Amino acid sequence: MPAAYRLLIDWLANGFADTAVDDVTARTLDQRQPLTFRYGRDQARQFSPTSPGEAGFMLDNRSRDYSPENTSSPVAGFVTPGRPVKFQATSGATTTVLYTGYLDDFEIKPGINDRAVPATCMDALGRMRGVQVTTPLYQAIKTGEAIGYLLDAIGWPADARDLDAGVSVLPFWWLDDTDAFDALMQLADSEGPAALVTVDGQGRIVFRDRHHRLTRTQSLNVQSTWRSSGTEPCISDPVSYNHGWKEIVNAVSADVQVRTVAVSPSQVWSSQGLITIPAGTPVTVTAQAGQPFTGALNPVAGTDYTLVSGTVSIGISRTSGQSTVITLTSAAGAIVQDLSLRAQAITSTTVTVTVEEPSSIAQYGRKSLDGGRLPTWANPYDTLAILQLIVGRRSERLPTITVTMRGAGGAARLAECLGRNLSDRIHLTESLTGLDSDCFIEQISHTVGSGGLEHVTTFGLEKIPAVVSTPFTFDVAGRGFDDGRFVGDGLDNPATMFRFDTAGQGFDQGVFSY
């Protein structure tokens, strides 16, 4: 039995309270264009960045309800981009929200053979693009904290986020007129492989750290077994397979900035010339430093500027970062000259961290990682751990496979279409390629058409590499010198890694990992 679907658009921005106008299901499912929804990484690899979730559908507009010029429409004046969108499916007693986002763009097709409105949507991550962010400077915080500060800066609600604390420690972190989405991806890169930023069915921005697949049940245990034939649920055509030869990485280097805070304040910004402050009208000046600073001081007459006439009051918007806004006010008017700013400057030196796998280089030649996705903010030790993870998991080929699950093929298949999520561990047995391995889900896309009778889900999967089965252990026979292997190669085994809070994996039981 097919699921029951609902597509809702919150036209009046009141929390989907007006069901009569918000529920557009009947105007979309029977259209020529099926509904499509996509989210996950831009490639089916755990090293790939997250792409904003996208959706597309076509609204029947014979009623002209969605024509912006129609003042008699029940949603007149509200047919605009930015309206919240939610798509959900109910199978049995379970309702699953498959997509939450915002109307991004639409086109009015008034032709007699069309009378429709094709629309596209973007989730919360996509809405971060083009938003410029400036923050204070923070010291010794983890990646999850930094993401929280970033979301604070763009005004994202505290109850609409689900953030892991993170593993990487960032000695210094700040933003200065930086694109919010780019900043988010830099933080994910600084957390390392397997870190994930996405949007869940509740519309919350979700951050999972690089250890989440070592600790969360959905990633530790096989959630389902998929086969090309035989016992359900079975996958269908099309299936595409990438053997992974071109994605081998066996050498990677990263430049890490090691920063130091000056003991005493010094001049970090200055201007020349006169600044006139009209009576009762504040004047603002942006002090843009060439390097980050902390402990900025309010400018002082005779030290940081010359008072030419009148009296002036001066304040700054923030005491750290790479810029601050200086506000000058005067009740009767004033003139100042050669304004400057003092703060504790932060200087840096560069340390290069390099990890290579000699045996892989000897077999395949040197295969370096594209330098565009390196850990920008991590400290040298976390950077080393991240590079070891990259090389440890990529020095040998690691296949990816894209499979199709057709919900119309039966209840078991429909359950997979509706129930699987990013980072879920599944076991795939595919006869033609010979792949018979556990895989992680890295991409998901849904297509719903034929009035809801057809639900096709495409999953992008990456094979999970083998873990070290005999980690070096001093007090275990067969795992000592010449027997055990050091696990410092990025292939952590969640069943044996050291964990304080898990019975059987503490002192004398677990082995250290990254």
Side-chain angles (χ1 to χ4, degrees):
M1 182 177 179
Y5 299 94
R6 292 185 74 196
L7 177 63
L8 303 170
I9 302 177
D10 189 9
W11 294 114
L12 305 181
N14 58 6
F16 301 99
D18 295 277
T19 306
V21 295
D22 291 346
D23 191 338
V24 298
T25 309
R27 303 189 188 213
T28 54
L29 282 181
D30 294 324
Q31 292 300 296
R32 294 182 295 272
Q33 175 181 313
L35 287 77
T36 59
F37 306 89
R38 180 194 181 282
Y39 49 94
R41 303 184 192 274
D42 64 1
Q43 297 181 44
R45 294 200 176 277
Q46 64 171 295
F47 298 150
S48 296
T50 303
S51 293
E54 300 174 346
F57 50 83
M58 181 179 288
L59 290 165
D60 182 338
N61 195 35
R62 286 174 292 180
S63 66
R64 301 192 305 121
D65 285 351
Y66 311 118
S67 299
E69 308 302 325
N70 179 17
T71 57
S72 63
S73 164
V75 290
F78 295 96
V79 183
T80 61
R83 298 305 179 196
V85 174
K86 179 167 62 177
F87 182 67
Q88 63 188 42
T90 300
S91 180
T94 303
T95 296
T96 304
V97 178
L98 296 174
Y99 180 84
T100 300
Y102 301 86
L103 193 62
D104 183 52
D105 197 10
F106 58 89
E107 177 186 0
I108 306 297
K109 290 193 171 184
I112 193 169
N113 294 321
D114 292 313
R115 297 183 181 182
V117 180
T120 58
C121 302
M122 193 72 69
D123 70 6
L125 297 184
R127 286 169 64 86
M128 294 176 69
R129 280 184 166 152
V131 178
Q132 301 302 117
V133 180
T134 298
T135 71
L137 180 141
Y138 299 93
Q139 298 183 51
I141 62 173
K142 290 188 175 182
T143 44
E145 294 177 84
I147 291 174
Y149 290 133
L150 168 59
L151 297 180
D152 290 343
I154 65 173
W156 189 256
D159 61 354
R161 56 182 84 169
D162 178 9
L163 310 178
D164 283 355
V167 178
S168 291
V169 175
L170 317 181
F172 297 88
W173 179 81
W174 75 97
L175 298 175
D176 193 68
D177 198 28
T178 305
D179 182 90
F181 181 79
D182 291 342
L184 186 63
M185 292 301 101
Q186 288 178 355
L187 288 170
D189 291 343
S190 297
E191 177 64 14
L196 177 67
V197 182
T198 187
V199 177
D200 68 9
Q202 300 177 51
R204 300 179 301 178
I205 292 179
V206 176
F207 166 64
R208 295 289 173 253
D209 65 29
R210 69 175 182 256
H211 285 173
H212 79 276
R213 291 178 174 177
L214 301 174
T215 59
R216 290 180 176 264
T217 300
Q218 297 90 333
S219 300
L220 285 172
N221 303 324
V222 172
Q223 302 299 297
S224 183
T225 297
W226 300 347
R227 300 172 177 85
S228 53
S229 62
T231 305
E232 294 286 356
C234 291
I235 60 175
S236 305
D237 285 338
V239 176
S240 62
Y241 174 84
N242 176 4
H243 45 62
W245 294 113
K246 290 185 177 180
E247 289 80 15
I248 288 175
V249 175
N250 51 33
V252 59
S253 294
D255 290 337
V256 181
Q257 300 302 312
V258 179
R259 296 182 169 92
T260 304
V261 180
V263 175
S264 303
S266 61
Q267 188 180 92
V268 296
W269 173 86
S270 64
S271 67
Q272 294 182 337
L274 299 174
I275 299 175
T276 300
I277 303 98
T281 302
V283 172
T284 59
V285 177
T286 299
Q288 179 73 50
Q291 57 192 358
F293 58 81
T294 189
L297 304 172
N298 279 333
V300 175
T303 301
D304 303 304
Y305 65 92
T306 299
L307 183 61
V308 178
S309 65
T311 59
V312 65
S313 176
I314 301 181
I316 57 177
S317 62
R318 65 179 65 87
T319 60
S320 66
Q322 197 166 340
S323 67
T324 189
V325 177
I326 303 174
T327 301
L328 303 93
T329 57
S330 177
I335 299 175
V336 301
Q337 183 176 7
D338 298 342
L339 180 64
S340 63
L341 178 72
R342 285 176 298 138
Q344 292 169 269
I346 298 174
T347 57
S348 65
T349 57
T350 301
V351 174
T352 300
V353 179
T354 300
V355 174
E356 298 181 350
E357 174 48 60
S359 60
S360 176
I361 293 174
Q363 184 171 0
Y364 308 116
R366 183 176 295 274
K367 305 289 185 180
S368 300
L369 179 70
D370 178 9
R373 300 203 57 239
L374 294 171
T376 305
W377 296 105
N379 64 71
Y381 306 104
D382 276 313
T383 297
L384 176 61
I386 290 168
L387 301 194
Q388 287 174 327
L389 284 169
I390 293 172
V391 173
R393 297 179 183 181
R394 297 297 308 143
S395 58
E396 297 294 333
R397 73 177 185 89
L398 200 60
T400 62
I401 187 167
T402 301
V403 302
T404 302
M405 190 71 68
R406 297 187 180 275
R413 300 186 193 185
L414 180 61
E416 297 304 307
C417 293
L418 301 180
R420 297 279 68 85
N421 210 337
L422 299 173
S423 283
D424 280 2
R425 177 189 288 254
I426 64 97
H427 188 89
L428 179 65
T429 301
E430 205 289 316
S431 58
L432 184 62
T433 62
L435 187 65
D436 188 7
S437 304
D438 287 3
C439 301
F440 283 130
I441 298 176
E442 306 290 0
Q443 297 172 317
I444 299 176
S445 62
H446 299 279
T447 300
V448 179
S450 301
L453 297 176
E454 182 178 90
H455 186 149
V456 178
T457 304
T458 302
F459 295 97
L461 312 175
E462 183 177 43
K463 179 182 175 180
I464 300 174
V467 298
V468 174
S469 58
T470 55
F472 182 90
T473 312
F474 278 110
D475 55 354
V476 177
R479 295 190 180 184
F481 291 104
D482 297 325
D483 296 310
R485 291 179 57 196
F486 286 101
V487 293
D489 56 5
L491 305 178
D492 301 323
N493 187 342
T496 59
M497 70 179 187
F498 183 91
R499 294 178 65 184
F500 279 107
D501 56 352
T502 302
Q505 293 182 226
F507 290 105
D508 295 327
Q509 297 166 323
V511 295
F512 288 101
S513 64
Y514 293 115

